[in-house]
Amino acid sequence: MIELNKPINFIQSIISSDLASGRVVEIVTRFPPEPNGYLHLGHAKSICLNFDLAAANGGRCNLRFDDTNPETESPDYVDAIIRDVQWLGYEWFGDVRYASDYFEQLFGWAQFLIRHEKAYVCELTSAQTREYRGTLTTGGRDSPYRYRPALESLELLDQMRSGQIDEGKMTLRARIDMQSPNINLRDPVLYRIKKYPHHRTGRVWSIYPSYDFAHGQEDALEGVTHSICTLEFAANRALYDWFIENLPVPSTPKQFEFGRLNVNYMVTSKRKLKKLVDDRIVDGWDDPRMPTLSGMRRRGVTARAIKNFCKSLAVAKTDGVVDIAQFEHFIRDDLNQHAKRGMCVIEPLKLSITNYSGDRVENLVIPCHPSRDDLGCRVVPFTASLWIERNDFSENQAFSRKKFKRLVLGDYVRLRGAYVVRADSVVRDANGMIVEIRASLVPGTVGKSPPDNIKPRGVIHWVSEQYSVDCCVNQYDRLFSHPLPESGAESFIKFINLNSLKVITGCKAEPELAKAQIGENFQFERIGYFCVDNRQKEDDDLVFNCTIGLRDTWSNTKQ
Ligand code: ATP
Ligand code: MG
């Protein structure tokens, strides 16, 4: 069990003192994804943080797409991100916002900087720009274009905008300090020429603002009071502050950085996840093995579990790696509380009850959850011919009762919610493989203890042969075989677990499970948590995705 102390959140402390001192009146945060991929678990931490901080302090949170890079962005990603934020259960303030809504304003501010001798059009190539920038230990050199007249820069910027200049020939740069120890302040690029249509503005623009030039000003335009981002932007803060000081912005956001969420056995980078999709290593962004929100949703992880996990994490000023077991704890904990129970036999073996009439059917009524009456009961038909798990039977009578709490030849076991039965004999095929167990039931043992001389070894699950529903089960293993697939010199692709998906056909589910809705969570008793996959093919068997096994898995007790 993981002890959950109240997590540290230094940003809440800052907000409290800002409200107390009157520095801000209303808290405004935002979640600012770039629509260049699907959201992953790391984003969930940022979403929870931004939305929850706003809500907890009576403020508001915007959803804003930082769509300044048309080559890598698409409206499909926008839609997927919106879906995922909604699925987590968050409501943003007002309309969805886009950096592209502010392109005209940002352009005006670029001209403003030129007019105030704080920006210039530079004609160094990108390689030269890099070389002139200097290094961490040496200062940079001024571009020969640094002091060109403002009017000339304004004219060139117009030509860049209208597509008259080729890509790579010119950039607009801020004129700050080529000797600054902070490389971000060495005349950063504000605009690049990109003759690429934008998914929202079409071909109107031939130049696009850099993320650095856009991000802070967007926050200022939206009145964001606390711009929360991850640690890698700490060194950019001085630049963002410079823009805010040097532009006539309507408000002054303050940036606070927190540590990214990293989870072992997972990769949380849209770029890398995109590679898995593009190289068809996985079956799309919503492959249930992906750490994307859509993948986890398809796998059966609930939004509640993700939020509970995120809220349990410290909001710290250092990066760290969280053990995947901690995430799994929250998944199980939530499903244990909310998932209905059902029985499904993964590897069926026939169990025939010889002292039960062949055409008799008893509709047993079994609760859907051991402790939640509100989830009701289901009807499970009991018949003479049943399926049980092949693994739940052994002929070896020497197996200890403590270790093998299942059916053994000549011994008793309870069928969950039904009778106590005894295995009397087995039937084999021509290869000697057991194809049937012949058993007898102890009358009067449904919901009642057997006579004192009968001690069932344990309880096993079962389904009626006649009434069972054929289904297919997808079982997943970790997508990466290494705990830190991104840490080494080698590509993370090297650590792909090629056996991360096992498709098991021919499983048999109790009839109630045929009514399961896409995404509905169940506990298959004694096996794990499952949900109906969202890609059901017509006329095919029902497909269930295994969300996660039970804590003390069945395979651990295998002999
Ligand atoms: P990726 O590397 O996966 O593309 P990103 O940071 O480039 O991530 P953005 O779309 O720019 O992705 O991120 C939107 C917000 O989510 C940003 O504020 C970013 O800091 C935050 N974020 C991204 N990844 C994580 C993470 N692993 N942990 C916490 N916050 C994250
Ligand atoms: Mg990014």
Side-chain angles (χ1 to χ4, degrees), residues 38-39 63 65 75-89 92 286 293-294 297:
Y38 279 49
L39 298 181
L63 173 62
F65 288 96
D76 290 347
Y77 293 141
V78 169
D79 294 345
I81 290 172
I82 288 177
R83 234 177 6 247
D84 286 347
V85 175
Q86 283 173 330
W87 175 67
L88 283 178
W92 49 89
D286 72 343
L293 298 185
S294 55
R297 173 166 67 235

Side-chain angles (χ1 to χ4, degrees), residues 406 526 552-559:
R406 308 179 221 175
R526 301 179 61 241
D552 41 332
T553 60
W554 173 47
S555 57
N556 288 345
T557 57
K558 236 180 252 176
Q559 296 234 345

Side-chain angles (χ1 to χ4, degrees), residues 421-436:
V421 298
R422 185 187 64 206
D424 300 317
S425 62
V426 297
V427 179
R428 295 174 194 278
D429 66 9
N431 301 318
M433 169 107 158
I434 298 175
V435 290
E436 182 182 344

Side-chain angles (χ1 to χ4, degrees), residues 31-34 40 42-43 46 228 230 258 260-261 268-270:
F31 174 62
E34 186 184 353
H40 50 62
H43 292 112
S46 173
I228 301 167
T230 36
F258 72 100
R260 286 176 83 85
L261 168 61
T268 45
S269 144
K270 280 180 276 171

Side-chain angles (χ1 to χ4, degrees), residues 297-426:
R297 173 166 67 235
R298 186 171 162 201
R299 178 145 170 185
V301 176
T302 62
R304 237 182 351 246
I306 292 173
K307 289 202 279 190
N308 290 342
F309 168 66
C310 289
K311 288 176 194 181
S312 78
L313 301 166
V315 178
K317 291 185 194 176
T318 48
D319 280 331
V321 180
V322 175
D323 193 330
I324 196 166
Q326 188 169 338
F327 181 43
E328 291 172 346
H329 159 80
F330 283 94
I331 299 174
R332 285 197 185 94
D333 188 53
D334 182 66
L335 291 172
N336 182 38
Q337 289 178 51
H338 297 100
K340 287 184 180 172
R341 273 47 173 173
M343 291 194 280
C344 180
V345 175
I346 306 292
E347 203 190 341
L349 173 61
K350 189 167 167 167
L351 180 85
S352 302
I353 312 285
T354 50
N355 58 345
Y356 199 82
S357 155
D359 50 11
R360 194 172 161 202
V361 184
E362 257 176 288
N363 283 320
L364 303 174
V365 178
I366 304 181
C368 292
H369 193 280
S371 60
R372 283 191 51 186
D373 294 345
D374 59 312
L375 294 180
C377 291
R378 77 243 199 218
V379 171
V380 187
F382 185 89
T383 54
S385 191
L386 308 173
W387 294 117
I388 65 163
E389 238 25 280
R390 187 166 281 278
N391 274 321
D392 277 343
F393 174 73
S394 172
E395 287 181 284
N396 188 346
Q397 298 179 331
F399 269 2
S400 92
R401 295 182 66 87
K402 262 205 176 138
K403 285 201 177 140
F404 195 78
K405 297 181 175 173
R406 308 179 221 175
L407 187 59
V408 167
L409 194 60
D411 210 346
Y412 293 89
V413 81
R414 177 176 289 281
L415 299 177
R416 167 77 83 211
Y419 293 93
V420 170
V421 298
R422 185 187 64 206
D424 300 317
S425 62
V426 297

